[in-house]
């Protein structure tokens, strides 16, 4: 990435990737008006007035609109995948018309999901790549059934997500795309609820407080689960040492 004069620093690459992911996550999880062809030729990166990376989206010929109820389901689904909340993964997949929820979640993230481990590496290992290749080859009919069950705009959502994923990997995966999108999902869901709530006044400060509260709850839940996962790993290691 360059601005015709000097090469962007590594920090600028991270800023660019972060901004790119957040920009399209905002479309998917909140506005619902989705640019379905965000390949590198349609994203201009330049240095803005604040000396930081600035994005300019080009070619607005392929868009689609995702209904609010589908955006809410997708927001909740992404959050539940990150937190490994399997009952919620199943429920919110069904909200989008899909029964084969686990396969759907792996298609959505384009990677295997290990329910016993937290965290999702942005670059697949050789074994994970082989798993996804095997899934595509041997479960084609199940995959097609999942895709047919979805609202039609979700197909372009897949296109958007996969293109942005590819860009992030090409940049060396400088940011955690899964976590950034999960935070955007929680933010989008809380903003939708705040705007729709009849109990809260339509005042900007209340909408902002609600959004912050939902984001904090997610951050706390994720840190709690990660902490418990780490504690369990340490306990297993300590038992192993004592056994020796």
């Amino acid at each position: 990435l360059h601005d015709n004069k000097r090469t962007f620093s590594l920090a600028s690459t991270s800023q660019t990737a972060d901004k790119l992911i957040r920009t399209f996550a905002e479309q998917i999880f909140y506005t619902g008006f989705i640019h379905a062809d965000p390949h590198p030729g349609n994203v201009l990166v330049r240095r803005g007035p604040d000396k930081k990376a600035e994005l300019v989206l080009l070619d607005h010929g392929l868009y689609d609109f995702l209904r609010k109820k589908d955006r809410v389901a997708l927001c909740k689904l992404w959050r539940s995948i990150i937190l490994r909340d399997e009952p919620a993964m199943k429920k919110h997949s069904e909200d989008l018309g899909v029964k084969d929820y686990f396969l759907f979640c792996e298609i959505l993230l384009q990677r295997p999901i290990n329910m016993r481990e937290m965290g999702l590496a942005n670059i697949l290992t050789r074994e994970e790549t082989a798993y996804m290749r095997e899934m595509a080859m041997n479960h084609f009919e199940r995959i097609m059934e999942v895709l047919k069950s979805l609202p039609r705009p979700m197909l372009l959502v897949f296109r958007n997500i996969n293109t942005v994923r590819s860009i992030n990997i090409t940049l060396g995966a400088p940011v955690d795309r899964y976590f950034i999108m999960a935070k955007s999902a929680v933010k989008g869901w809380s903003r939708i609820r705040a705007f729709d709530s009849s109990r809260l006044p339509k005042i900007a400060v209340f909408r902002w407080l609600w959004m912050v509260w939902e984001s904090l709850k997610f951050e706390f839940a994720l840190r709690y689960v990660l902490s418990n996962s780490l504690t369990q790993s340490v306990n297993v290691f300590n038992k192993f040492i004592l056994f020796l």
Side-chain angles (χ1 to χ4, degrees):
L1 298 175
H2 60 84
D3 62 350
N4 297 327
K5 290 184 178 180
R6 65 191 68 171
T7 303
F8 275 140
S9 66
L10 180 59
S12 294
T13 302
S14 298
Q15 292 169 8
T16 301
D18 181 87
K19 189 168 292 186
L20 180 77
I21 294 166
R22 290 180 190 277
T23 296
F24 290 113
E26 172 91 357
Q27 294 181 354
I28 292 169
F29 296 123
Y30 180 58
T31 68
F33 194 53
I34 301 162
H35 191 310
D37 197 21
H39 63 78
N42 285 340
V43 182
L44 174 66
V45 183
R46 64 188 183 190
R47 193 180 299 277
D50 59 357
K51 307 301 182 184
K52 295 182 180 180
E54 185 177 79
L55 303 184
V56 181
L57 303 185
L58 308 174
D59 188 1
H60 302 280
L62 185 58
Y63 273 78
D64 209 336
F65 183 74
L66 191 64
R67 295 176 302 175
K68 182 176 70 177
K69 76 180 193 68
D70 295 331
R71 295 199 306 273
V72 170
L74 189 57
C75 286
K76 293 179 179 180
L77 177 61
W78 201 282
R79 178 184 185 274
S80 65
I81 294 171
I82 297 300
L83 294 176
R84 302 299 193 277
D85 184 347
E86 192 164 2
M89 289 165 60
K90 181 177 181 180
K91 179 185 184 305
H92 301 310
S93 294
E94 290 175 349
D95 290 341
L96 288 165
V98 179
K99 293 182 179 180
D100 197 346
Y101 71 95
F102 200 82
L103 177 65
F104 172 43
C105 291
E106 292 192 323
I107 295 172
L108 182 64
L109 267 63
Q110 280 295 291
R111 63 158 297 114
I113 299 172
N114 187 337
M115 298 300 292
R116 297 185 300 274
E117 294 181 4
M118 294 299 295
L120 294 165
N122 285 269
I123 299 178
L124 301 186
T125 64
R126 183 177 302 175
E127 292 77 14
E128 290 170 335
T129 301
Y131 172 89
M132 295 302 293
R133 187 177 294 115
E134 186 273 337
M135 181 177 73
M137 292 174 57
N138 298 331
H139 300 283
F140 180 77
E141 291 185 3
R142 287 177 60 199
I143 292 171
M144 291 305 298
E145 190 63 33
V146 167
L147 297 179
K148 290 177 182 177
S149 302
L150 290 165
R152 286 184 63 84
M154 276 296 298
L155 300 181
L156 293 183
V157 169
F158 276 128
R159 180 187 176 105
N160 179 298
I161 289 174
N162 288 334
T163 305
V164 172
R165 174 184 60 85
S166 177
I167 294 174
N168 187 49
I169 291 174
T170 300
L171 293 175
V175 295
D176 188 341
R177 184 179 67 90
Y178 298 110
F179 186 61
I180 290 173
M181 290 194 68
K183 292 184 69 174
S184 296
V186 172
K187 182 179 177 181
W189 173 46
S190 61
R191 287 169 70 183
I192 291 171
R193 286 189 62 184
F195 275 106
D196 289 346
S197 176
S198 59
R199 294 171 294 178
L200 291 177
K202 299 296 194 280
I203 301 175
V205 64
F206 285 97
R207 292 199 297 263
W208 180 81
L209 287 172
W210 182 266
M211 184 171 57
V212 170
W213 169 243
E214 289 295 332
S215 297
L216 286 174
K217 284 200 300 183
F218 170 71
E219 292 267 9
F220 177 79
L222 183 62
R223 291 179 187 278
Y224 176 78
V225 173
L226 284 172
S227 175
N228 280 355
S229 178
L230 179 61
T231 300
Q232 291 172 4
S233 298
V234 171
N235 288 339
V236 170
F237 177 75
N238 287 339
K239 289 179 181 179
F240 177 73
I241 294 298
L242 288 174
F243 176 77
L244 294 177

